[in-house]
């Protein structure tokens, strides 16, 4: 199924072992989907119910991902099973290729209303149906293309590892309270060490407040389209209450952090799906790959990760930038990298 993927992405693809789903798993799926379909028939964007049918999501049984993929191919997408959280960069690259990664795990009965870890309810019943809307699907691919160019920092990678650990431990029914507390303390410690917000972090926030927890339409009576809300019996109801602050979607959403393990106290409302692309385009103009120059090099040094610098003559240097020097005219005259460095010309290694 994943033969068309680049080699570095194939390692994240797993096999959906359908026989592993127990009768209890199937019962949890039926309960959640019945509750969601009843409530969301009037509170979700109109594309949701239509999308459930078009993507073959049956409320009576956990879907087979290959069947969902066959339905999505009609909209220019595919679905492939993955194991829980995968690195953000890999997730974005898969989406840019028109692949919806679906975590094949099923949430436990203890997490009926909300799950701290990605599962097949969230991915299949949350993300897949809205892809049937052409405008939204186009935005998601556009977002993934932009996100691929964002500067990811070493601090981002440390945070991702801590969040994944906490999410996995909370979802595991065999985890002890001490293990959960240790993981929570570790996440707090890693979070405290973060000294700046990278482009990748800002874009992850935009994704969170749109594709995951987005509302759409009239701000006084919005509809749900974010997958995190569409797949949560608890939050789909909570999010529309007066207890949750509704904010018009703007580029400022990238300044608002979030807690992946807790319900959100505020949400952003897009006017329509075209509005998502407008905000994304506005943000992309501020990114290093568009701005260039010293300001962008400073971002690379701060990130401490491997990135690519393109020179005026279209030569490209990939590596971890350490420092640069300016000449008497304040033009960049020297670049120094840490560790292995790759030279390219027009995206091809020399």
């Amino acid at each position: 199924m994943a033969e068309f993927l680049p080699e570095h992405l194939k390692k994240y693809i797993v096999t959906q072992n359908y026989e592993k789903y127990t009768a209890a798993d199937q019962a949890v799926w039926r309960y959640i989907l019945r509750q969601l379909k009843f409530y969301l028939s009037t509170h979700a964007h109109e594309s949701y119910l239509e999308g459930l049918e078009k993507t073959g999501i049956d409320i009576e049984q956990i879907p087979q991902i290959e069947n969902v993929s066959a339905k999505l191919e009609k909209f220019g997408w595919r679905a492939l099973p993955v194991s829980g959280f995968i690195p953000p960069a890999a997730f974005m690259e898969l989406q840019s290729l028109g692949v919806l990664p679906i975590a094949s795990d099923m949430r436990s009965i203890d997490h009926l209303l909300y799950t701290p870890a990605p599962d097949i309810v969230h991915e299949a019943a949350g993300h897949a149906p809205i892809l049937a809307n052409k405008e939204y699907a186009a935005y998601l691919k556009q977002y993934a293309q932009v996100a691929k160019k964002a500067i990811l920092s070493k601090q981002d990678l440390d945070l991702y590892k801590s969040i994944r650990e906490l999410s996995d431990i909370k979802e595991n029914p065999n985890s002890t309270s001490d293990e959960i507390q240790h993981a929570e303390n570790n996440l707090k410690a890693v979070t405290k060490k973060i000294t700046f917000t990278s482009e990748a972090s800002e874009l992850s926030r935009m994704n969170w407040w749109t594709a995951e927890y987005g509302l759409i339409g009239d701000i006084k009576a919005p509809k749900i389209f974010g997958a995190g809300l569409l797949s949560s019996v608890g939050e789909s109801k909570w999010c529309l209450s007066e207890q949750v602050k509704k904010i018009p979607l703007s580029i400022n959403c990238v300044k608002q952090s979030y807690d992946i393990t807790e319900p959100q106290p505020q949400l952003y409302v897009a006017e329509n799906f075209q509005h998502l692309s407008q905000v994304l385009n506005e943000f992309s103009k501020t990114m290093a790959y568009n701005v260039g120059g010293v300001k962008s090099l400073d971002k690379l040094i701060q990130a401490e990760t491997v990135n690519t610098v393109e020179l005026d003559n279209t030569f490209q240097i990939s590596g971890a930038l350490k420092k640069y020097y300016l000449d008497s005219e304040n033009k960049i005259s020297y670049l120094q990298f840490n560790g292995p460095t790759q030279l390219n010309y027009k995206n091809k290694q020399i």
Side-chain angles (χ1 to χ4, degrees):
M1 289 178 64
E3 293 80 7
F4 66 97
L5 291 178
E7 285 299 320
H8 66 279
L9 291 178
K10 289 181 180 179
K11 63 183 178 181
Y12 301 112
I13 308 305
V14 300
T15 299
Q16 181 190 21
N17 180 10
Y18 200 85
E19 288 69 30
K20 73 178 179 181
Y21 300 124
T22 65
D25 291 333
Q26 296 285 0
V28 168
W29 171 273
R30 288 194 299 273
Y31 174 82
I32 294 173
L33 266 290
R34 287 171 182 171
Q35 294 286 320
L36 287 172
K37 188 172 183 180
F38 175 77
Y39 181 75
L40 295 173
S41 62
T42 55
H43 294 92
H45 186 273
E46 59 187 17
S47 297
Y48 175 73
L49 287 184
E50 182 182 351
L52 278 178
E53 183 176 347
K54 287 184 175 180
T55 54
I57 306 297
D58 186 350
I59 66 174
E60 296 302 323
Q61 60 184 359
I62 298 170
Q64 296 195 35
I65 296 174
E66 62 180 357
N67 293 339
V68 175
S69 185
K71 296 281 188 179
L72 285 175
E73 285 186 30
K74 298 177 182 178
F75 313 117
W77 284 75
R78 302 187 193 197
L80 289 174
V82 297
S83 179
F85 275 117
I86 62 176
F91 189 92
M92 287 300 107
E93 188 171 358
L94 285 168
Q95 281 198 169
S96 73
L97 296 171
V99 175
L100 175 64
I102 294 184
S104 57
D105 294 332
M106 182 67 200
R107 69 185 63 181
S108 67
I109 196 169
D110 296 326
H111 294 109
L112 277 175
L113 300 184
Y114 172 82
T115 177
D119 76 332
I120 198 164
V121 176
H122 173 77
E123 310 285 7
H127 280 291
I130 301 297
L131 285 175
N133 183 292
K134 292 182 179 179
E135 290 180 341
Y136 177 72
Y139 160 74
L140 211 57
K141 282 187 179 180
Q142 178 191 6
Y143 172 88
Q145 290 289 352
V146 172
K148 282 171 57 179
K149 300 172 183 176
I151 297 174
L152 182 74
S153 75
K154 182 179 179 299
Q155 293 178 5
D156 294 331
L157 296 174
D158 292 340
L159 182 63
Y160 157 73
K161 292 176 184 177
S162 299
I163 290 175
R164 171 160 187 159
E165 179 187 8
L166 175 59
S167 177
D168 289 346
I169 289 176
K170 277 194 169 184
E171 181 60 21
N172 187 344
N174 297 319
S175 296
T176 65
S177 57
D178 286 343
E179 289 173 330
I180 294 174
Q181 187 63 53
H182 176 76
E184 288 178 342
N185 291 340
N186 181 57
L187 177 57
K188 289 178 181 177
V190 171
T191 302
K192 285 183 179 180
K193 292 180 180 179
I194 294 177
T195 57
F196 71 102
T197 305
S198 70
E199 289 181 348
S201 291
E202 290 180 320
L203 273 170
S204 72
R205 291 173 179 178
M206 183 179 294
N207 184 68
W208 183 265
W209 299 123
T210 57
E212 293 292 349
Y213 280 81
L215 300 176
I216 194 166
D218 184 350
I219 197 167
K220 295 182 180 179
K223 300 289 187 179
I224 299 169
F225 79 91
L229 301 173
L230 292 175
S231 59
S232 172
V233 176
E235 284 213 85
S236 63
K237 295 180 180 179
W238 162 261
C239 74
L240 297 179
S241 71
E242 293 183 358
Q243 294 169 285
V244 177
K245 184 179 180 181
K246 314 299 189 299
I247 306 170
L249 179 67
S250 72
I251 194 174
N252 292 330
C253 71
V254 304
K255 305 301 180 185
Q256 178 62 58
S257 60
Y258 57 88
D259 183 347
I260 194 172
T261 66
E262 299 292 339
Q264 310 306 312
Q266 73 283 305
L267 294 173
Y268 291 84
V269 183
E271 296 173 7
N272 47 48
F273 288 130
Q274 295 97 319
H275 188 192
L276 302 178
S277 294
Q278 292 170 9
V279 174
L280 177 61
N281 288 334
E282 185 180 355
F283 179 77
S284 70
K285 292 177 182 177
T286 70
M287 293 172 62
Y289 82 97
N290 271 324
V291 174
V294 170
K295 185 177 180 180
S296 296
L297 293 181
D298 288 337
K299 286 185 177 182
L300 296 184
I301 294 172
Q302 195 174 32
E304 299 181 89
T305 52
V306 174
N307 290 282
T308 298
V309 176
E310 183 167 298
L311 308 180
D312 291 339
N313 58 10
T314 69
F315 274 93
Q316 298 157 319
I317 308 171
S318 298
L321 184 64
K322 182 179 181 180
K323 64 175 65 173
Y324 62 86
Y325 294 110
L326 303 177
D327 61 20
S328 58
E329 297 179 352
N330 280 329
K331 293 182 179 180
I332 300 165
S333 61
Y334 174 82
L335 299 173
Q336 182 179 342
F337 292 81
N338 270 332
T341 304
Q342 181 186 49
L343 297 179
N344 312 281
Y345 181 66
K346 294 185 177 179
N347 298 317
K348 292 186 178 181
Q349 179 175 298
I350 298 175

